[in-house]
Amino acid sequence: MEVKIQLHDTMQRKKRPFEPIDPENVRMYVCGPTVYDRAHLGNARPVVVFDVLYRLLRHVYGADHVTYVRNFTDVDDKINATALARKEAGAGGTLEELVHQRSDETIGWYLNDMRALGALDPDEMPRATEFIEPMVAMIEDLIAKGHAYEAEGHVLFAVESYKEYGRLSGRSVDDMIAGARVEVAPYKKNPMDFVLWKPSTDDLPGWDSPWGRGRPGWHIECSAMSHELLGATFDIHGGGNDLQFPHHENEIAQSKCAHPDAGFANYWLHNEMLQVEGKKMSKSLGNFFTVHDLLEQGVPGEVIRFVFLGTHYRKPMDWTEEKAVDAENRLHGFVELIAQYGDVDDAMKLRPEQAIIDALADDLNTHAALECLKKMNGSDDANALARNLIFLGFFSEEALSARVSTYRNGVDSLRRIAQKLHDARQRAMKSKDFSEVDRMKHILSLANVSVRMSKDHVDLRPEIDFDPAKLEGL
Ligand SMILES: Nc1ncnc2c1ncn2[C@@H]1O[C@H](COP(=O)(O)OP(=O)(O)OP(=O)(O)O)[C@@H](O)[C@H]1O
Ligand SMILES: [Zn+2]
């Protein structure tokens, strides 16, 4: 069945039909993290949102016909600061090596955390430091075309040279000057001009350039990397709406001025913020917790994903304990139904539900997609449910199979244990010695099994983090 995707385009401020430039190669670029520390939960929201879009595009155009690029910004003062601190604390290696080490380590954490949330790795994950040459070439080109100028070892983009500056965020240059925290510097011709290249001190990472040893500004990184990997015009550019201005505005100015005949990105998608009591979760406000913290506390990745997808990506949302508990119960119920009535291998022969595809195709209406899942609650629905849980990224096929068989094995042994507990209880009623019953109940609670006992019945139910290994000794 043909699927008509509609996406909300920030540039045109409306939902519009998605028409790829080349259905054989649909191209999407999403701004990735600056890799100086662990990702907080807010940083994970764009990852999950654009993963859903990636999965939808792969479904519609074919997995081999979508190219998803998400960069790593590994040129940054905060990475340098960590490396410097390590060097001062006696770590071996040059500063550049320590900087690289810090980025590597952070990237490793990031990928592990995002995979735990069911996010597929993008096709390309360029690191800014591997694309310095095209950045320098782009800056040279911008100078040659009269859009940038050199001043005191810096190269600045001349905002006045690009008449459409401000179109994405809908602001005039005057408003931006009035409202923004623009850095005033003596070498800027206009306070809105932004840095394409800046000098590096000898003790910090830097690269040779026509303007001396230095490093690129943040915005030029994305313009150069997207151009190298996706071309001068591609389909979708995404990121959080905190990046609309100045980052995306500046990317557009650079890319459109360097390639005046190209369109840069045809659709601009922005996710709203994950908030804490009405404020953006952010490092600078200090109101954050990391994805790693949550996972360590035992909140499974699929639960985090389920909570995220419960709110439309263009609405702000809070993380609450209540939502997490609700998601956990739902997912537990799903796995239980599949374990009782389904078969994951058979499920994979099915196609994802059309109603779910249609919901996602309507500007990623993930809330509606989850409502469809919730309706799949009959024994006949078990395989369809499994197929759609995998499609939506809550589980890989392997993970769901493992979950299902753990559940089934657990249920088998619980049947035996229930009988044993029943007998122990009968004996205890006579002897008034409940120590064996208490011992068994304690082990069951460690294994996350809920115990309900009535006079002549013992009911044992595995909870979502049921751990059959802990049943040893019963
Ligand atoms: N609270 C949030 N909710 C949703 N997305 C967010 C939030 N905070 C950051 N992002 C997104 O995370 C991605 C990575 O951003 P970046 O590396 O600049 O974050 P950061 O500088 O570590 O975070 P912060 O904004 O907390 O300082 C961007 O797409 C950004 O829009
Ligand atoms: Zn970017």
Side-chain angles (χ1 to χ4, degrees):
M1 203 183 290
E2 205 192 334
V3 180
K4 289 206 159 50
I5 300 180
Q6 301 252 352
L7 297 174
H8 182 273
D9 179 9
T10 311
M11 187 67 90
Q12 298 199 11
R13 290 167 181 68
K14 63 175 188 209
K15 239 182 351 189
R16 55 190 193 95
F18 176 66
E19 305 282 356
I21 300 161
D22 174 9
E24 297 289 311
N25 185 15
V26 180
R27 287 159 287 162
M28 170 160 83
Y29 185 94
V30 175
C31 295
T34 305
V35 286
Y36 64 98
D37 208 349
R38 284 196 184 276
H40 61 63
L41 190 65
N43 299 140
R45 192 171 185 200
V47 175
V48 172
V49 165
F50 290 102
D51 181 66
V52 171
L53 178 54
Y54 182 44
R55 286 170 186 269
L56 175 68
L57 294 171
R58 283 161 64 97
H59 174 78
V60 174
Y61 297 98
D64 297 336
H65 301 288
V66 182
T67 308
Y68 173 18
V69 179
R70 187 184 63 218
N71 69 293
F72 288 116
T73 293
D74 58 351
V75 182
D76 183 75
D77 284 336
K78 284 167 276 191
I79 309 176
N80 297 341
T82 317
L84 213 55
R86 283 185 180 176
K87 194 160 177 61
E88 277 160 13
T94 64
L95 189 66
E96 302 224 336
E97 282 162 359
L98 291 171
V99 165
H100 209 259
Q101 250 174 41
R102 178 61 181 178
S103 310
D104 279 348
E105 170 179 77
T106 316
I107 288 173
W109 291 336
Y110 184 83
L111 291 177
N112 281 339
D113 290 347
M114 299 309 143
R115 286 172 190 149
L117 306 187
L120 301 170
D121 286 354
D123 301 285
E124 305 266 6
M125 295 188 273
R127 292 168 68 145
T129 48
E130 288 162 3
F131 288 80
I132 301 290
E133 235 175 84
M135 291 174 205
V136 169
M138 198 170 195
I139 297 170
E140 285 185 296
D141 187 33
L142 286 170
I143 296 176
K145 288 182 170 135
H147 293 291
Y149 59 95
E150 188 190 354
E152 296 178 29
H154 293 69
V155 181
L156 292 133
F157 185 91
V159 166
E160 276 167 9
S161 75
Y162 179 56
K163 292 292 161 263
E164 292 186 45
Y165 191 78
R167 229 185 99 193
L168 179 73
S169 45
R171 309 172 191 215
S172 73
V173 172
D174 289 343
D175 287 352
M176 286 187 264
I177 294 176
R181 289 157 290 162
V182 287
E183 197 194 338
V184 187
Y187 47 80
K188 284 188 183 178
K189 290 185 186 162
N190 177 320
M192 288 307 293
D193 292 351
F194 58 87
V195 164
L196 300 174
W197 190 265
K198 57 190 162 195
S200 243
T201 52
D202 287 344
D203 56 344
L204 286 177
W207 292 265
D208 290 330
S209 82
W211 321 286
R213 189 170 170 280
R215 56 206 169 111
W218 171 35
H219 316 299
I220 196 74
E221 295 177 8
C222 287
S223 283
M225 288 187 279
S226 62
H227 180 256
E228 284 298 294
L229 297 168
L230 298 176
T233 310
F234 53 91
D235 296 293
I236 298 169
H237 193 313
N241 67 354
D242 57 333
L243 302 184
Q244 251 180 67
F245 176 80
H247 183 55
H248 289 163
E249 208 72 77
N250 294 355
E251 276 188 44
I252 294 170
Q254 297 161 157
S255 294
K256 295 271 260 192
C257 290
H259 310 287
D261 299 328
F264 194 36
N266 280 351
Y267 298 79
W268 283 89
L269 265 69
H270 289 102
N271 64 277
E272 251 292 353
M273 294 292 103
L274 180 84
Q275 301 187 331
V276 180
E277 289 166 0
K279 291 210 177 71
K280 173 192 169 187
M281 178 181 280
S282 78
K283 293 260 168 64
S284 50
L285 290 175
N287 59 352
F288 68 96
F289 44 90
T290 66
V291 174
H292 184 252
D293 287 340
L294 270 189
L295 296 170
E296 287 280 287
Q297 286 161 22
V299 180
E302 63 272 16
V303 167
I304 300 174
R305 189 174 179 97
F306 200 91
V307 170
F308 276 163
L309 298 192
T311 301
H312 190 257
Y313 77 95
R314 285 191 290 113
K315 293 204 180 101
M317 69 174 289
D318 276 314
W319 171 266
T320 66
E321 185 71 25
E322 197 189 340
K323 286 183 195 170
V325 169
D326 189 50
E328 187 150 10
N329 290 338
R330 278 284 174 197
L331 286 159
H332 180 44
F334 292 159
V335 172
E336 204 171 323
L337 188 81
I338 297 163
Q340 282 172 336
Y341 304 107
D343 180 286
V344 176
D345 287 341
D346 287 347
M348 289 314 289
K349 294 176 197 141
L350 302 173
R351 287 176 66 74
E353 192 78 14
Q354 191 61 34
I356 288 185
I357 304 291
D358 290 344
L360 298 187
D362 178 15
D363 192 32
L364 304 184
N365 190 345
T366 50
H367 179 79
L370 296 193
E371 291 303 307
C372 292
L373 284 183
K374 292 178 191 169
K375 286 190 198 126
M376 297 181 179
N377 53 12
S379 50
D380 290 352
D381 299 324
N383 283 353
L385 180 62
R387 179 68 191 93
N388 289 293
L389 284 172
I390 292 168
F391 171 65
L392 288 168
F394 291 110
F395 302 100
S396 66
E397 197 183 332
E398 300 71 38
L400 186 57
S401 297
R403 214 37 105 71
V404 161
S405 62
T406 304
Y407 186 93
R408 286 184 185 145
N409 294 340
V411 169
D412 285 347
S413 35
L414 290 184
R415 229 170 264 141
R416 175 183 57 76
I417 295 166
Q419 184 59 47
K420 212 173 146 193
L421 182 56
H422 174 76
D423 296 345
R425 190 163 180 274
Q426 299 293 89
R427 285 196 299 276
M429 304 276 264
K430 287 189 194 125
S431 67
K432 304 284 177 239
D433 173 6
F434 282 84
S435 54
E436 174 61 8
V437 173
D438 291 342
R439 185 188 74 89
M440 290 184 75
K441 277 169 67 180
H442 179 65
I443 296 178
L444 286 164
S445 87
L446 292 180
N448 292 315
V449 175
S450 73
V451 181
R452 251 175 277 155
M453 292 199 287
S454 62
K455 218 175 190 168
D456 41 27
H457 191 70
V458 170
D459 183 30
L460 300 182
R461 291 176 71 87
E463 288 167 14
I464 189 146
D465 36 7
F466 172 49
D467 185 355
K470 296 229 171 77
L471 293 175
E472 242 169 79
L474 288 182

